[in-house]
Amino acid sequence: MIAIAKDLGKIPSVEIKEEKIEPKKGKQIGILGGTFNPVHSAHLIVGEQVYNKLHLDEVWFIPTNIPPLKDSPTVSPQDRANMLELATQDNPHFQVKLFELYRGGVSYTVDTLRYLHETQPENHYYLIMGSDQVNNFNEWKEPTKIAQLATLVGIKRAGYPTKAELPMIWVDVPSLDVSSTSIRQTIAMGGSIRYLVPDTVRNYIQKKELYHE
């Protein structure tokens, strides 16, 4: 994980560069991808709950560069990477991986999983998805191949069925009705996002004056 200055008065700047992976003993790795625009408390709760209930070694947060199925993020990749680093820095089993930002272009999960299997094949990967993602999984690029490269993990969510066309592990997670979209809207209207995001992320958003347009 990239080191971040502990002084919250200093704004971090995460360098987006190629990450070299050294061979090591295999681990059980959870993969949590998304635009993280911005990262919020529900993302962190999902990561922690899956880590604990599936007895994983680590959970990797992988920010998307350009998402294939939604609008492009409204802030820079640099800002999203910085906020993720701030949000996860106090959790020793969370890591931020910038593979997709470094690769550029549209980010496809299957390409990232292929890259991970090529560079670190000893690990076993668990792809963590919300129920809404499970419902449109057939629209993803090469969903069958994704299921071959990673164990699929679905997060149960009220109002969404727990059915999937491919084998899926379902995990119960405490419900928190918060989304990046609602946070951006709240900021734009001058509302409070305290407790919806970590304080470090809230301070960063305020210092950088993000999402006010």
Side-chain angles (χ1 to χ4, degrees):
M1 182 179 288
I2 305 166
I4 291 291
K6 293 184 178 180
D7 183 356
L8 295 182
K10 298 179 181 179
I11 295 177
S13 181
V14 179
E15 183 179 359
I16 299 173
K17 63 180 181 179
E18 184 176 13
E19 298 185 43
K20 297 186 183 300
I21 300 178
E22 301 295 335
K24 59 181 70 174
K25 184 179 179 180
K27 294 181 178 181
Q28 306 296 305
I29 305 293
I31 301 295
L32 188 57
T35 55
F36 301 111
N37 184 37
V39 58
H40 53 69
S41 297
H43 293 135
L44 304 176
I45 290 172
V46 165
E48 179 68 15
Q49 291 292 311
V50 174
Y51 165 83
N52 184 267
K53 292 178 179 179
L54 297 188
H55 307 290
L56 304 181
D57 293 303
E58 296 173 356
V59 173
W60 292 359
F61 290 75
I62 303 180
T64 298
N65 187 54
I66 298 175
L69 297 177
K70 61 172 64 175
D71 293 336
S72 296
T74 54
V75 301
S76 71
Q78 186 71 69
D79 283 325
R80 291 186 290 120
N82 290 344
M83 287 188 285
L84 258 181
E85 195 64 38
L86 287 167
T88 59
Q89 64 182 349
D90 64 346
N91 191 323
H93 48 260
F94 283 175
Q95 291 195 28
V96 176
K97 298 293 184 180
L98 306 179
F99 309 125
E100 295 184 350
L101 299 187
Y102 177 80
R103 190 166 65 230
V106 177
S107 300
Y108 292 105
T109 299
V110 69
D111 295 338
T112 298
L113 289 172
R114 283 194 174 106
Y115 170 75
L116 293 177
H117 276 271
E118 291 170 0
T119 56
Q120 206 165 354
E122 67 275 12
N123 289 336
H124 186 88
Y125 299 99
Y126 296 78
L127 181 64
I128 304 167
M129 299 185 291
S131 297
D132 52 339
Q133 293 174 309
V134 174
N135 284 350
N136 68 9
F137 188 55
N138 63 338
E139 300 176 22
W140 292 28
K141 180 181 178 181
E142 299 183 58
T144 303
K145 185 62 178 178
I146 291 174
Q148 294 172 354
L149 295 172
T151 297
L152 304 181
V153 179
I155 303 302
K156 292 183 180 179
R157 184 177 175 186
Y160 288 89
T162 53
K163 294 182 180 179
E165 296 180 3
L166 294 166
M168 178 87 57
I169 298 174
W170 288 95
V171 176
D172 281 308
V173 171
S175 178
L176 183 62
D177 189 16
V178 58
S179 69
S180 296
T181 299
S182 66
I183 289 171
R184 294 195 303 270
Q185 292 172 344
T186 298
I187 294 171
M189 293 186 296
S192 172
I193 59 169
R194 185 185 292 272
Y195 308 124
L196 299 179
V197 301
D199 282 343
T200 51
V201 173
R202 182 171 58 88
N203 292 339
Y204 183 91
I205 290 171
Q206 290 174 347
K207 288 178 182 294
K208 298 281 296 215
E209 298 183 346
L210 303 178
Y211 307 118
H212 288 287
E213 296 182 358

